[in-house]
Amino acid sequence: MKLNRLTVTAKQENASSNTLNARLYLALVDDPNVKSHVITISQKPMSFNTGIVGNTLYVSENADETQVVSLQGSSRMKWIAELEQPEPALVHTYAVKLVGEKGDAMSWGSEYSMGTKFKIQLPKILYKDANRDITYHVKLTLAGTDVSSRIAIVRKVLKPISISVANLYGGYGALGNGILSTFRDYGIYSTFFGSQGIVYMPVTPTLPNNESNSAGVGANIPDNVNVLFSGRYATTVSNYYDNLITWLENSPNKNRFAIVSLDNSNSENQALFAKFTSWGYKYRGNTGSYASWVTSHTNDPVWDYIVKNGPFSNFRPSQQINFNAMFYRDGISGTFDVPTGVTSVLEVAGNGCSLSIDLQRRIIFLGDSQHTNTWTPACNALATVTDNEYYGRGVLWATLWAIIYNTAQYGDHFTDVFNTR
């Protein structure tokens, strides 16, 4: 008997997610009642493979993107990627991007050929959700079908960098000096900063409490120090400020922060600011007895962090910041002009800035440390103070510490969120 072979060809690929089954039998032409056994024919669904073990990719603290993904499947297929938001929801919605192998932009929801490789990029600005694991899911679907697969993109909880605070030099502007005592108290108030604080920190920081010149680290700044208070400028130690600038510019984790006080004479402040001219700062003088709020801001996320959406902006909803408040200053102080992109918070009318925040270079200039202690409520009284001028000053000093500490803990995971103007 001669064997005959029969080939059954599907009309098209199985675009469903289920196996399709058909029943086939053969009948004699001369006698249709004579039939063969039933033959079951199965067509499996189209499929592809992500090539990812466990379909999970991890993003580290220092790398903001996944490894390259190369899907495995028929070259005739196309795929679509859709982003699914984490559960529970994040504090903010972040710009998670689909990019090509070399970083070129791709689009969620668009069709790409099977051979197109891709990566997922997460922004570094996840600090508001830093204290939890974050898992996004990416749904990959074969175009024109309901065949899909999901991969998890996991960014493990950010580990805060340990905070180490020091004085560059002693005297006015150093932590431990009596004029900065109220401000220092804000920085060690566990209700504000700590494991149960408004701003999460594993532990409430320990701050210097010695204003002596010998306690400063300006001659040799330790690598682990990430917050420096300037102390008073002196010609004999002017090279300390060269060290400070080098220390700021060579920050491995972009988390070093300096607070420079202008509690100096005019000539000393002029010499001090000569160190910062290349950054665009210019010294003005020390005219005027009071500073006031700078209330004219356009698209300024640092200002918004102080007065609208920061951790202390709505500390007491029943109170409102009175922007008519004045901030005391004396003759041992200074004013200055700031470069583009720096937030001016306080000013002496007609004579320049008296408090600035520069998150690009991670430095605060304080025109007079007297701003922080005169007419400012104690840290533990901010919850009960009813004078809106006092309340606003307290909110400001608490927010400065939040900026300092978050930068020191998270570097550009925190500061990048302000790079929007």
Side-chain angles (χ1 to χ4, degrees), residues 70-134:
S70 179
L71 300 180
Q72 302 161 11
S74 169
S75 60
R76 293 175 296 174
M77 301 175 184
K78 292 186 177 182
W79 56 267
I80 296 169
E82 299 171 278
L83 181 68
E84 299 176 353
Q85 293 296 322
E87 294 290 344
L90 301 177
V91 175
H92 282 175
T93 300
Y94 300 100
V96 177
K97 298 179 180 179
L98 177 71
V99 299
E101 182 178 11
K102 297 181 178 180
D104 47 305
M106 298 173 66
S107 299
W108 298 108
S110 295
E111 294 185 7
Y112 294 96
S113 62
M114 185 57 64
T116 304
K117 299 178 181 180
F118 65 93
K119 299 181 289 189
I120 310 297
Q121 283 186 347
L122 271 65
K124 284 192 172 182
I125 58 173
L126 297 170
Y127 77 95
K128 281 187 176 290
D129 296 283
N131 303 309
R132 55 168 279 194
D133 289 352
I134 297 174

Side-chain angles (χ1 to χ4, degrees), residues 188-211:
I188 56 173
Y189 188 40
S190 61
T191 299
F192 291 169
F193 307 103
S195 59
Q196 302 298 318
I198 293 172
V199 173
Y200 172 79
M201 305 178 73
V203 296
T204 301
T206 299
L207 300 179
N209 199 22
N210 186 346
E211 65 168 324

Side-chain angles (χ1 to χ4, degrees), residues 22 33 41 74 76-77 130 133 210 244 252 258 270 290 328 349 352 364 374 399-400 412 419:
N33 292 318
I41 300 174
S74 169
R76 293 175 296 174
M77 301 175 184
D133 289 352
N210 186 346
L244 180 145
Q270 287 169 348
Y290 302 98
Y328 181 73
I364 288 173
T374 305
T399 304
L400 286 195
D412 53 5
N419 297 334

Side-chain angles (χ1 to χ4, degrees), residues 15-248:
S16 74
S17 58
N18 302 310
T19 298
L20 300 180
N21 295 311
R23 293 164 61 87
L24 173 70
Y25 62 87
L26 303 176
L28 292 178
V29 174
D30 294 337
D31 188 354
N33 292 318
V34 179
K35 300 178 181 178
S36 69
H37 293 294
V38 173
I39 304 170
T40 299
I41 300 174
S42 299
Q43 184 187 22
K44 293 184 177 180
M46 299 167 63
S47 65
F48 66 101
N49 194 317
T50 64
I52 301 168
V53 177
N55 278 346
T56 301
L57 295 173
Y58 292 91
V59 178
S60 72
E61 294 180 18
N62 298 317
D64 58 356
E65 63 184 23
T66 67
Q67 67 187 56
V68 174
V69 178
S70 179
L71 300 180
Q72 302 161 11
S74 169
S75 60
R76 293 175 296 174
M77 301 175 184
K78 292 186 177 182
W79 56 267
I80 296 169
E82 299 171 278
L83 181 68
E84 299 176 353
Q85 293 296 322
E87 294 290 344
L90 301 177
V91 175
H92 282 175
T93 300
Y94 300 100
V96 177
K97 298 179 180 179
L98 177 71
V99 299
E101 182 178 11
K102 297 181 178 180
D104 47 305
M106 298 173 66
S107 299
W108 298 108
S110 295
E111 294 185 7
Y112 294 96
S113 62
M114 185 57 64
T116 304
K117 299 178 181 180
F118 65 93
K119 299 181 289 189
I120 310 297
Q121 283 186 347
L122 271 65
K124 284 192 172 182
I125 58 173
L126 297 170
Y127 77 95
K128 281 187 176 290
D129 296 283
N131 303 309
R132 55 168 279 194
D133 289 352
I134 297 174
T135 302
Y136 286 91
H137 283 96
V138 175
K139 181 181 179 183
L140 298 165
T141 304
L142 293 181
T145 79
D146 56 3
V147 178
S148 65
S149 180
R150 294 168 80 242
I151 58 175
I153 312 298
V154 181
R155 209 265 346 249
K156 302 295 286 183
V157 59
L158 279 178
K159 182 180 179 181
I161 299 169
S162 297
I163 290 178
S164 177
V165 185
N167 291 324
L168 188 75
Y169 198 51
Y172 296 136
L175 290 178
N177 179 268
I179 296 177
L180 271 180
S181 61
T182 300
F183 184 66
R184 181 182 180 278
D185 289 344
Y186 271 71
I188 56 173
Y189 188 40
S190 61
T191 299
F192 291 169
F193 307 103
S195 59
Q196 302 298 318
I198 293 172
V199 173
Y200 172 79
M201 305 178 73
V203 296
T204 301
T206 299
L207 300 179
N209 199 22
N210 186 346
E211 65 168 324
S212 69
N213 294 336
S214 61
V217 299
N220 186 16
I221 305 171
D223 286 342
N224 70 317
V225 167
N226 45 34
V227 178
L228 265 180
F229 282 75
S230 67
R232 187 165 185 175
Y233 179 86
T235 303
T236 55
V237 294
S238 64
N239 64 303
Y240 285 11
Y241 286 84
D242 298 320
N243 295 346
L244 180 145
I245 290 171
T246 299
W247 171 81
L248 279 174

